[in-house]
Amino acid sequence: MLRYPKLQQLRSFVEHNRFIPRQTHIRIFLGLCLLFTLVSVPFIFLLTSQFSKYAMKQIDKVNQAELAHSRDNAEFIFNKMIAYGLNMYADKDIQAWMSSGMETGEAEVEALSAGTRYMTTEPFLENAYLINMRTEHVIDLKYGISSFKPFKDQDILALTKQPRSAYQRYFIHRINGLQMLALMIPTVPSGQPSYGYLVLFLDNALLKQYLLKDNGNAGFNSFILDDKGEVMLGSSESKELYAELAAKSVHDSGKLTQIYEGDSWSIQYARIEPQGWSLYQMAKMEGIRSDFQSFQAKMMAFIACMVALLLAILFWNSRRTYMPFSQLANQLEMKFGLLLNNKKNDYGPTEEYKVIRYGIEMLEDRMVQLNSSMREHRDVIKTEYLRQWVLQGKLITPVEQYLREQTKLFQYEGLYVSVIRINGYSAFKEKYSFASRKLIKYAMGNIAEEIMNRRGYAESIDLGSDHLVLLVAGNPLSSEHITALLEEVKEQIYHWTQVRITLSVSERKGISDDIRAIYQHIHELTMLKFVSGEDKIYMEGDFENYMRSVQPLADDNLVEELITKVRLGKPEEVIAGLNEIFVHMQSMHYSQSRFQLSLMLYTLFKSFNKLPSIESIEGIENILESFDTLFGVRGWLEKELLGIIDELSLRKGSSRKDEIVTEIVDYVKNHLHDPMLTIEEIAEHLSLSTRHVRQLFKDVLDLTLSDYILQARITKVKELLVSTHWTVTDIGERAGFQTKSHFFTIFKKATGMTPSQYRDMG
């Protein structure tokens, strides 16, 4: 007792002080209050401090990514305009006028017309001059033709008389007080006198809209400077600041901190090549710091509320021990009340236990159903990604990662591409409805996968046409083994579906090879059955062997024109076209005419998926041998083509419009990833004329087919922007846009926003 006098005094104070409660649970409660206060306050300061550092790093990363994106866009647009100017200069009408030694009205009109055409197709082009130094005339594409002396822009004429060391660089030019970027292209190499110049002026307002990020109220600003600090694009109000920034920007990219107008600014820059300019982005630090302080205050309030809530829970813990179980039972009753309560019962421990037990069992059943639904959804996504792989020939990184997780195709080093084509597809379409055809092709794919999985792994893809694509991965197989497996596929498909097919297969390919090119070649192989009449599994070598034995048609355009006339339903012109083709053949040797007839019939069969009389006959050679004269072949072919015209006419007048449009929509959906998808391709798939397909689609859906395809692609882009973290470029390719600039222009026109802005809004 005597050794700890201070402790004894403290104990006595606690026991006799009336401000401290005697109840133990209250003492614990007050002790926890003090403990939480001492722990939470330093914790919140440490948390906000670390968050501020992390947030600054993330902001820098985001700004760097945006800056790099803007820099890439700037380089792309500037290089694109240089290339556009060179293409424009190379125009024969423009070049003819610029190199002419005398002025003629015809040359002037043609040059002006050609220049105007270029102006209307490039949104970034504000104006252009065509300058002829020999005749001393200028064509201003906005205001017309003028001689040198009265021309309003004498400054640009002065520049043409001062040869420069490099012309493919932009410069600032002022007209009537307006500043714009200009590009001068001479007719001869730089540094030498030239007899003509092409001068392009860019639309500064549009360039700022696409390349710069300015929001004075939010504390953001961006601009482009040259190496001397001159403003090339952006506001020109801060020349002293610009000169100082240009002097400090010694690297290709970097970050600066600058005091400007009493505020601290964070500045990032990146070099734009090959112009040697720099793109700058400024962000006011005051706004960022105020956001962090606001976040810190909110976190303090949040922690205070959380501590109060935790203490209240601890204080009432003993009274509320069983309340969570009651709440769980009530929630389950609200969720499954109609299933759980077949009859009324009193609330109590036993009833709540039953409710919880039965409710958990139902939740388990729901989870099983949800898992099954998710598995089906994964199969749909997997099929769509496989279809994209075949149509685009390559895989973007996110799609490849997904397929590696969901299929076994990537577990092997090699890949075989096979095509299963339905024989007599026109008759097949007439026999079965659209939905039935899809089910039959689905069954054919399952049969093929099951058989090919014996020696590896296979995935079938329906492209909505007359064939399926089969991707087979596995160890190297001899031609005898893979032929035997595919022969069994053919037999089993006919056994179960009564559909006859033709099969072709590639040699072993690499995963990184161009799958689209391989697929197109293998699909072409299946057509050899029509030509040769052989019922076999076609290999890559078969096509090469056949092409060595035949010669090309004398004039492919004659056959293409004949196909067009058949689709347009013009029998008189079809007969005239046949006469023209057979006149050429009458002057040939017998063997040469036989070769050309074979290829012509092969082309016609591909275009219309059949020829009526030979759909069930083994080959072209057998048909040709049944005629003694070229005149007899011509008469037979005329009858065949007129029969196709009659069939197409019946289709146009039938009541199957809705089903045909449904098939068009399905074909577009299956080929949306293909940047080469055209209305002509869709019409060829349906064996209808392009004009009729357009009109039929417009009649049924009150929307043009071109607009529908574009809307489908924009919808796909919106979905991927919101649901994935893929890059904007990958998403554009995924939706079938051919170029990045075309994708950005179309999306901006459709939504009023860039893809990045739409993603941020989502």
Side-chain angles (χ1 to χ4, degrees), residues 88 112 115-116 118-119 125-131 138-144 151 180 183 197-202:
M88 186 174 175
L112 181 60
T116 304
Y118 281 99
M119 283 280 294
L125 194 58
E126 174 68 18
N127 196 8
Y129 296 161
L130 308 179
I131 303 175
V138 182
I139 295 180
D140 184 333
L141 293 183
K142 273 194 172 181
Y143 300 104
F151 185 54
M180 61 181 65
L183 178 69
Y197 293 89
L198 170 65
V199 185
L200 304 182
F201 299 99
L202 305 191

Side-chain angles (χ1 to χ4, degrees), residues 364-377:
E364 183 181 5
D365 293 339
R366 291 282 181 90
M367 288 300 296
V368 172
Q369 296 173 4
L370 179 62
N371 185 48
S372 176
S373 175
M374 290 178 64
R375 186 164 54 250
E376 293 176 359
H377 186 62

